[in-house]
Amino acid sequence: MPKLALGMSGFETGVAVMPLVKGDLAGRVRGTKRLLTVAAAIMSVFLILSSFATTVLIPEREFESGGKASGRALAYLAHGFLGDWFGSLYDVSTIAILWFAGASALAGLLNLVPRYLPRYGMAPDWTRATRPLVLVFTAIAFAITIIFDADVDAQGGAYATGVLVLFMSANVAVALAARRHGQRGLMYGFVAIGVVLAYTLVANVIERPDGVKIASFFIVAIIVTSLVSRATRSTELRVSEVRLDAQADRFVRDACGEIHLIANEPHRRDQDEYHDKLRETWLNHRLHSRDPIIFVEVTVPDASEFETELRVTGEERYGHRILRVESSTVPNALAALMLYLRDRTGRVPHVYFHWAEGNPITAMLRYLVFGGGDVPPLTREVLRQAEPALERRPHVHVG
């Protein structure tokens, strides 16, 4: 049974090319359903009939290692029953089909990787380009072939493991979705399918552990690459666009000149918090009372996001004007907001911080994982990289 999992390989290729289906949203959904249904029907018929035919027509000893049908059962039947001319034509057709299957998988990866991995900081920014990715995937293909010594059975085991894990993950996702929508019949159906897939996966891993070995290598490689990529790209702006609501836009227009922002980490958000923060800033930075002051507060709902769109909301509390922002990181959001205000007003804005207490290395790790950390120096570093001209760079004050 585990070896039959290879017959499902066409489905995962179909999933990879889903983003290439054309049309509007409704049309793409219909097209994708048609694509997967046709693939399922064709692969199911081919898989069952070919398994039956090869089991009945080929002697058992020929399936064993070194046998003439080992790894090439249908080719054995083509040569044996229809002659070498047809058998050779079948061999060439098989190679061509595998070429096209590889090209299809590559097209899917070239569409998926640039769209998601760099955006989440899991890959270097150069992976948005097609040509380097083609070279990387080709090198990986050669490396796998060398690692498995071009052994069809070993690569088949690894491939079946990957396909089964993909299917089981998708099955868990749709089962949870069915439960959330109250579709109990569908949920139990997917649970039953999940049991079969889990059994097949465990049996395949026990029989052919090569798949776990290669999967472990790729998991470690992806995690290491992701950590290195996120660390090296951590001081990018990481903001695709800045949008102000009507209230925030009014605050900016009313400033009429230099904008002074006080960075505040929101806690109780009561009157005492804002009065204390304003008094602290006046004492530390000797601000004039006539300077237009705006508080800015950045919260991090999801630090796993790497590139975000900045939505700035204006709010008045206890006579203070506040700009509220949600972002995956605090320093990058503040830097992007200040650059936007500079371009919008034509004047270089100022932002005021107080020094944070604690170990700077711990703060840097907090920044990489949770998007916070030691905000003032990181904000300044993001601005330094984004704006090399010192006279145009927004001012960061720390006291």
Side-chain angles (χ1 to χ4, degrees):
M1 171 139 184
K3 292 180 180 178
L4 292 178
L6 279 174
M8 297 189 291
S9 60
F11 298 158
E12 127 271 353
T13 305
V15 171
V17 299
M18 268 194 233
L20 303 178
V21 177
K22 291 183 178 180
D24 57 12
L25 183 58
R28 291 181 67 191
V29 170
R30 285 195 303 271
T32 301
K33 286 181 177 179
R34 191 160 59 248
L35 166 74
L36 295 181
T37 302
V38 171
I42 292 174
M43 294 298 289
S44 299
V45 172
F46 280 5
L47 185 63
I48 294 170
L49 288 183
S50 61
S51 298
F52 178 78
T54 52
T55 302
V56 171
L57 297 174
I58 300 177
E60 185 180 353
R61 64 180 181 278
E62 299 294 355
F63 279 113
E64 296 173 359
S65 180
K68 294 180 180 179
S70 177
R72 55 185 301 275
L74 290 177
Y76 175 89
L77 290 180
H79 282 273
F81 287 88
L82 299 171
D84 286 335
W85 279 101
F86 183 86
S88 298
L89 180 63
Y90 178 86
D91 292 336
V92 172
S93 301
T94 302
I95 293 169
I97 289 170
L98 290 173
W99 278 347
F100 286 121
S104 172
L106 181 61
L109 287 169
L110 289 175
N111 188 64
L112 291 170
V113 170
R115 184 176 293 185
Y116 297 108
L117 296 191
R119 174 182 157 198
Y120 286 101
M122 294 174 64
D125 208 31
W126 57 260
T127 55
R128 297 181 190 272
T130 301
R131 289 180 183 177
L133 271 188
V134 172
L135 296 176
V136 169
F137 289 140
T138 303
I140 291 173
F142 275 104
I144 292 173
T145 305
I146 292 168
I147 290 171
F148 286 108
D149 199 23
D151 185 270
V152 175
D153 290 330
Q155 292 193 53
Y159 195 65
T161 303
V163 170
L164 285 166
V165 169
L166 184 71
F167 267 58
M168 205 166 75
S169 302
N171 185 81
V172 170
V174 292
L176 292 173
R179 179 187 175 188
R180 188 178 297 119
H181 290 90
Q183 300 168 316
R184 304 194 72 81
L186 276 177
M187 183 192 73
Y188 291 129
F190 286 124
V191 168
I193 295 171
V195 171
V196 175
L197 289 172
Y199 161 76
T200 311
L201 175 62
V202 172
N204 183 74
V205 169
I206 293 172
E207 184 179 326
R208 297 181 290 183
D210 304 279
V212 174
K213 294 177 184 176
I214 192 68
S216 301
F217 166 77
F218 274 107
I219 289 169
V220 171
I222 288 170
I223 291 174
V224 171
T225 304
S226 300
L227 289 173
V228 171
S229 175
R230 283 187 75 102
T232 54
R233 296 183 61 198
S234 61
T235 51
E236 290 181 11
L237 267 183
R238 295 162 59 173
V239 172
S240 57
E241 189 177 0
V242 179
R243 292 187 179 183
L244 275 63
D245 71 354
Q247 183 86 312
D249 190 72
R250 183 171 64 83
F251 292 167
V252 174
R253 281 189 283 106
D254 290 348
C256 297
E258 283 190 351
I259 295 179
H260 298 266
L261 301 176
I262 297 179
N264 180 50
E265 185 177 359
H267 295 292
R268 302 181 309 275
R269 304 194 75 233
D270 58 10
Q271 187 172 9
D272 290 339
E273 179 178 331
Y274 292 108
H275 283 356
D276 290 344
K277 188 70 180 178
L278 186 60
R279 183 173 180 275
E280 175 193 77
T281 306
W282 275 340
L283 290 173
N284 287 341
H285 303 287
R286 298 296 188 264
L287 279 175
H288 299 293
S289 58
R290 65 178 179 274
D291 290 331
I293 297 295
I294 302 176
F295 286 93
V296 59
E297 298 176 346
V298 182
T299 54
V300 181
D302 182 8
S304 64
E305 287 273 358
F306 192 79
E307 187 177 276
T308 55
E309 180 182 290
L310 222 58
R311 297 179 180 274
V312 185
T313 306
E315 183 181 350
E316 284 199 56
R317 291 177 71 87
Y318 311 108
H320 302 292
R321 294 184 169 189
I322 304 163
L323 298 178
R324 303 200 67 193
V325 184
E326 284 191 353
S327 175
S328 54
T329 63
V330 178
N332 306 68
L334 289 171
L337 177 61
M338 293 184 72
L339 290 171
Y340 170 84
L341 293 175
R342 179 204 64 186
D343 297 338
R344 169 80 181 271
T345 63
R347 304 286 294 274
V348 178
H350 300 254
V351 64
Y352 300 89
F353 299 94
H354 70 269
W355 282 116
E357 301 290 335
N359 190 301
I361 297 175
T362 305
M364 175 59 75
L365 292 175
R366 260 201 337 269
Y367 168 63
L368 291 174
V369 178
F370 301 111
D374 199 0
V375 175
L378 288 166
T379 303
R380 194 260 178 189
E381 180 59 23
V382 175
L383 286 168
R384 187 186 68 82
Q385 292 192 19
E387 179 51 78
L390 190 60
E391 65 278 3
R392 286 179 46 80
R393 189 183 304 159
H395 300 293
V396 177
H397 304 269
V398 192

